Amino acid sequence: MTFRLRLDAWRSWRLGHAPALMVIPIGLIVMVCVVDVLLPERIHLGPLLVAAPAITVAFAGARMTALMGALAVAAQVLIGTIRGGLTTANIQAQIAALIVVSAVCVIICVVRDRSERQLEQVRSVAAVAQGVLLQPLPAHAGPLRIAGMYIPAAEEADLGGDLYAAARTAHGSTRLLIGDVRGNGLAAINNSALLLGAFRAAAHRQATLPQLAVHLDAAFRWDASQWRSHEDLDTNEDFATAMLLDIPDDEPVVHVIACGHPPPLLLRGRWIAPLTTEASHLPIGFGGAFDVTSYQVQTFPFEAGDLLLLYTDGVIEARSTGGDFYPFAERAPRWTKDNPDELLNHLRDDLRAHVHGHLEDDAAVVAIRRAAP
């Protein structure tokens, strides 16, 4: 508690992000004092002193604003004393008005600083929640080099409906999930947490991808429907598009199940091709398959040096101010020589430049490279 009180006290004295700006109110006070004293008695610049605490509010804490207000009041008293009019109603009214305005500025500062501290606490909690929900992908998994990137549509938000996860299996393969939960806000975050939890709990123990897909769909539907009445079940709109992959360590292939999700992109040098499956199943949560035979696994070549890009529709549907979609398939081959982390850094910068910093939907990308043996 003592440390927190000291920290709050320090913040109230802080100069903000631009301490050099304190020269402005101090210089204004000095200038008004000098000029007012030198001008004829019928001209008064004292009322301009009110600008000193008003300006300080913009870049300093409450106590520093109060200090500028006190200096302004002292300057007004000094002017009145030098001019011999301190006891006049005009000077006294100016001093009283300056005290009132300074007090209002300090109150505004206190309220603003309290709101900033609350926002900082909320952001720190959100950052911790995101670290638990959307855990960083492993940089290495067998022969694979992996990197993930999540870009929220709102810069203030760290959580959303886009998700990805990875897990190792006992038979020497890496399984990956990328998905996009319908909607946004707390409902989407809750469904994202549910899907990620179900994947992490079962990805390493389900023998096949179809079994894993059935498990994810059943877990998602059960959580969404267990508290609903039979009448409400028909109106349930909770679902998530998803892509499930299994990449063996000792085979140059990737096994894929698509559940209404955009196909991965395979890059081999400057050559690029979407891994479009023959069957695209219903999104997770629609209950489109109740047994493993309903899911079709398709296998594609994934050789040493190849790069695989998984993504959500927030990437390919990102629009520029002119309404042009982001040319993901055209831009990605530019960075195939980079490692996955560098590629995603280039992609993030390029995507933000395309939309001028204003994404309409969350976006997530996972880059996977199979290393040479």
Side-chain angles (χ1 to χ4, degrees), residues 62-81:
R63 293 194 181 185
M64 192 60 67
T65 300
L67 177 61
M68 288 300 105
L71 290 177
V73 171
Q76 184 65 73
V77 172
L78 177 63
I79 292 172
T81 301

Side-chain angles (χ1 to χ4, degrees), residues 285-338:
F286 274 167
F290 297 95
D291 59 80
V292 294
T293 61
S294 302
Y295 282 103
Q296 178 179 340
V297 179
Q298 190 149 351
T299 302
F300 299 93
F302 185 41
E303 302 174 358
D306 288 354
L307 184 70
L308 198 61
L309 293 179
L310 317 178
Y311 55 94
T312 60
D313 57 10
V315 178
I316 57 177
E317 294 180 1
R319 293 175 180 263
S320 66
T321 53
D324 299 322
F325 288 111
Y326 179 67
F328 183 48
E330 297 177 11
R331 301 287 179 85
R334 299 180 180 180
W335 310 299
T336 52
K337 294 183 179 180
D338 298 330

